[in-house]
Amino acid sequence: MTAPDLHLAVALDGAGWHPAAWRDPAARPSELFTAGYWAELVTEAERGLLDFVTFEDSLGLQSSSFDGPDGRIDQIRGRVDAVLLAARLAPLTSRIGLVPTTSTTHTEPFHVAIGIATLDFVSNGRAGWRPQISGRRSDAAHFGRREFPEFSLTLESRNDPVVVRHVADLFGEASDAVEVVRRLWDSWEDDAEIRDAPTGRFIDRDKLHYIDFAGEWFSVKGPSITPRPPQGQPLITALAHDTVPYEFAARGADVVYVTPHSRDQAVAILGQVRDAEAAVGREGDPLRVFADLVVFLDDDAAVAADRKARLDELDGAELVSDALVFTGTSPQLADLLLDWREAGYDGYRLRPGVLPHDVTAIARGLVPELQRRAAFRREYEATTLRGRLGLSRPANRYVEVA
């Protein structure tokens, strides 16, 4: 019996995941805020038959500082809105999934629900969502409704009871936001729209439902203003690094991105994810687990390493990432991906070091290498993003079952 094909996604952000990527000769920094630039990246990923692309977003300018602006002018600052970008790209693509990021901390879940539902309609069932928390004081200052404590990545700060409570609150709020969004997606039954011109009945009001959510962070009555999305429930993904975020993903996500730096760590993290599922009593499909890697790919491993080293020199520091930083060739990366797949991973979200170079290398180098090893699809089959990941279309929670 052959192993199932692994899944591949790419995480798109600016000129690439290296802070100095915009200074690489292959980068195109003058085009970062144009639709054509992003369309080229996503169509290249679709040409490579990738499962989906993710779009980064945040509520503050990018910063090398953990909490607030850093004053640097030698790195990219500024982004376009991820949800609006994905909606713009949907008509230009036909099969690849589109997964924008939004914050759960200062964003109303009602707005997120209708935005992602609309994306699912305009993409014909290819939408996803990556909720993330926003813990920075500088982000909170944009809204002026909440005061956040100061904290850093030091061990002392992480163990400070005030910080521990703050992080727990952020993820508690995020869990409620995901629950509200999921309920709003179900607030229209699939056949709520009648559209019967002779009788003048456009909807069956009995098939629209109040969600009546009342929690610590949100009170939302519903129903949504947007009908139930084509996928029923668009794909929800989450990046997680520790127990609290693993449990957040286990409660409400379909896919979790994790960041092992070795095979042993990959095995250990997978066990922690499964423990989190048990701890929260997850039911239904288990989490699909993807490993994140930052990649610099070339036909010659020395060329890839030199390319990264030049960028490190321009930035004034060696690239440090939460994820493993890989430099090498497509066959070498394929060896690593297939090794970790044997440990139980469903797929990978690759973060291209430099755009468009590394997304092209993934689509035209890594994918053919995996195909030669019978480990990756040769054509798209399922038409929806959920279907491509082997996830069923969920039943509507508000439909009464006879």
Side-chain angles (χ1 to χ4, degrees):
M1 181 177 179
T2 59
D5 289 349
L6 59 78
H7 297 284
L8 284 180
V10 290
L12 300 179
D13 188 24
W17 283 81
H18 196 291
W22 69 279
R23 302 174 71 181
D24 187 277
R28 306 208 303 264
S30 64
E31 301 175 31
L32 294 181
F33 299 100
T34 67
Y37 172 78
W38 295 96
E40 182 177 322
L41 296 175
V42 176
T43 54
E44 181 66 34
E46 185 171 67
R47 191 176 297 117
L49 305 177
L50 272 63
D51 291 82
F52 58 90
V53 295
T54 65
F55 304 99
E56 297 301 302
D57 209 342
S58 63
L59 294 177
L61 292 176
Q62 300 96 316
S63 175
S64 57
S65 173
F66 187 71
D67 189 12
D70 58 8
R72 296 187 68 160
I73 61 171
D74 61 334
Q75 297 177 353
I76 290 176
R77 296 294 181 260
R79 289 188 172 103
V80 292
D81 182 275
V83 177
L84 295 179
L85 176 62
R88 174 66 179 88
L89 299 174
L92 305 180
T93 56
S94 61
R95 305 302 291 275
I96 195 165
L98 305 168
V99 183
T101 300
T102 73
S103 171
T104 57
T105 308
H106 304 287
T107 309
E108 294 296 333
F110 191 91
H111 294 154
V112 173
I114 61 177
I116 302 300
T118 300
L119 177 61
D120 208 41
F121 276 107
V122 300
S123 66
N124 294 315
R126 296 182 286 123
W129 173 40
R130 183 171 87 86
Q132 70 175 7
I133 64 169
S134 300
R136 290 178 172 179
R137 291 177 303 149
S138 55
D139 291 355
H142 293 320
F143 301 90
R145 295 194 295 264
R146 299 161 70 176
E147 291 289 336
F148 283 177
E150 181 178 1
F151 64 100
S152 65
L153 289 179
T154 64
L155 183 60
E156 293 79 7
S157 177
R158 289 169 58 186
N159 292 331
D160 184 330
V162 174
V163 173
V164 171
R165 177 62 185 176
H166 177 53
V167 172
D169 284 347
L170 290 172
F171 278 103
E173 179 183 33
S175 292
D176 277 6
V178 170
E179 179 65 16
V180 169
V181 168
R182 285 198 179 276
R183 292 191 191 190
L184 287 167
W185 286 339
D186 277 349
S187 64
W188 290 53
E189 296 185 27
D190 289 320
D191 56 352
E193 298 169 80
I194 301 171
R195 297 187 291 265
D196 186 5
T199 64
R201 298 177 70 212
F202 186 83
I203 61 171
D204 183 342
R205 189 60 186 82
D206 291 337
K207 294 189 176 182
L208 270 62
H209 301 277
Y210 297 117
I211 69 168
D212 289 326
F213 181 90
E216 181 179 358
W217 304 100
F218 305 104
S219 178
V220 181
K221 191 169 185 61
S224 175
I225 64 170
T226 307
R228 194 170 194 237
Q231 294 182 98
Q233 293 278 323
L235 189 78
I236 295 182
T237 74
L239 175 64
H241 299 95
D242 206 343
T243 302
V244 172
Y246 292 154
E247 292 183 354
F248 163 69
R251 286 189 184 93
D254 303 297
V255 173
V256 62
Y257 313 120
V258 297
T259 55
H261 284 242
S262 67
R263 194 183 196 281
D264 288 345
Q265 195 176 35
V267 172
I269 288 175
L270 189 62
Q272 292 168 1
V273 170
R274 299 308 177 207
D275 288 345
E277 290 178 306
V280 304
R282 182 183 177 92
E283 299 178 351
D285 294 310
L287 275 170
R288 302 300 195 259
V289 183
F290 282 41
D292 269 22
L293 295 91
V294 179
V295 297
F296 295 82
L297 283 178
D298 285 284
D299 293 335
D300 185 319
V303 172
D306 288 345
R307 187 158 55 89
K308 174 186 171 294
R310 287 196 301 272
L311 295 176
D312 288 346
E313 184 176 359
L314 287 170
D315 194 50
E318 183 176 0
L319 174 62
V320 176
S321 174
D322 58 323
L324 174 68
V325 179
F326 174 90
T327 62
T329 66
S330 292
Q332 290 170 336
L333 181 55
D335 288 341
L336 186 154
L337 302 187
L338 294 177
D339 181 40
W340 287 11
R341 182 179 67 166
E342 292 180 359
Y345 280 75
D346 298 288
Y348 302 89
R349 188 176 70 141
L350 305 179
R351 308 177 187 177
V354 176
L355 294 170
H357 178 101
D358 289 303
V359 76
T360 301
I362 291 167
R364 304 188 189 189
L366 176 63
V367 166
E369 179 65 28
L370 291 169
Q371 289 171 333
R372 282 191 289 272
R373 304 188 193 196
F376 196 72
R377 69 175 68 87
R378 291 187 176 272
E379 62 181 7
Y380 284 119
E381 295 178 355
T383 58
T384 68
L385 180 53
R386 290 186 67 89
R388 190 167 305 131
L389 295 177
L391 298 168
S392 59
R393 188 177 191 274
N396 190 316
R397 73 190 68 198
Y398 297 113
V399 174
E400 294 184 7
V401 179

